[in-house]
Amino acid sequence: QVQLVESGGGSVQAGGSLRLSCAASGTTDDSYCMAWFRQVPGKGREGIALINTDDRTTYAADSLKGRFTISKDDAKNTLYLQMNSLKPEDTAMYYCAARDGGAWWWAPFADSQYTYWGQGTQVTVSS
């Protein structure tokens, strides 16, 4: 059973940075996809970025490119999200997700394809 545990959230002022971590355990497939999503109350989950482990391809939401960067430490089996120049509108619950195999190329952030989800970590950005 795959387990994902996020950490690194917190409160920060606008313009600041945070790095989120997602420690994965129980993964047995050599090819899988890990992704970051976020969600604010009353809205659906928004895909941020993903990485396919077999070929290391990454994909990021256009609106967040340049500020958010995804990376993965294979030795630690840990996914990261570096968030810079944070804005109040980045306030959300941030989730790590994973699925066996690569993400759907036609809908990489369709959350229904992700089987495993972490419990989330809250990020609050104040102005």
Side-chain angles (χ1 to χ4, degrees), residues 36-39 44-49 61 63-64 89 109 111:
W36 286 102
F37 287 80
R38 66 184 183 183
Q39 187 172 27
R45 282 184 284 223
E46 176 189 11
I48 299 171
S63 61
L64 299 173
E89 50 264 43
F109 292 134
D111 56 7

Side-chain angles (χ1 to χ4, degrees), residues 3-119:
Q3 291 189 322
L4 305 173
V5 180
E6 302 99 332
S7 61
S11 297
V12 64
Q13 289 194 326
S17 298
L18 282 174
R19 189 177 79 156
L20 305 183
S21 300
C22 172
S25 61
T27 54
T28 58
D29 197 332
D30 288 337
S31 173
Y32 56 97
C33 174
M34 295 185 75
W36 286 102
F37 287 80
R38 66 184 183 183
Q39 187 172 27
V40 298
K43 293 190 176 181
R45 282 184 284 223
E46 176 189 11
I48 299 171
L50 64 86
I51 184 167
N52 290 311
T53 62
D54 54 354
D55 58 6
R56 308 296 292 185
T57 55
T58 61
Y59 182 82
D62 287 340
S63 61
L64 299 173
K65 286 179 182 177
R67 294 196 302 123
F68 289 15
T69 304
I70 191 171
S71 62
K72 186 175 182 291
D73 185 328
D74 291 339
K76 297 181 180 179
N77 207 13
T78 298
L79 185 72
Y80 300 100
L81 183 68
Q82 178 67 45
M83 305 187 295
N84 299 326
S85 302
L86 284 162
K87 305 175 182 180
E89 50 264 43
D90 294 319
T91 295
M93 184 70 79
Y94 285 71
Y95 295 94
C96 174
R99 56 154 290 163
D100 296 324
W104 295 340
W105 63 267
W106 64 92
F109 292 134
D111 56 7
S112 59
Q113 67 184 296
Y114 292 92
T115 307
Y116 311 105
W117 292 85
Q119 81 289 349

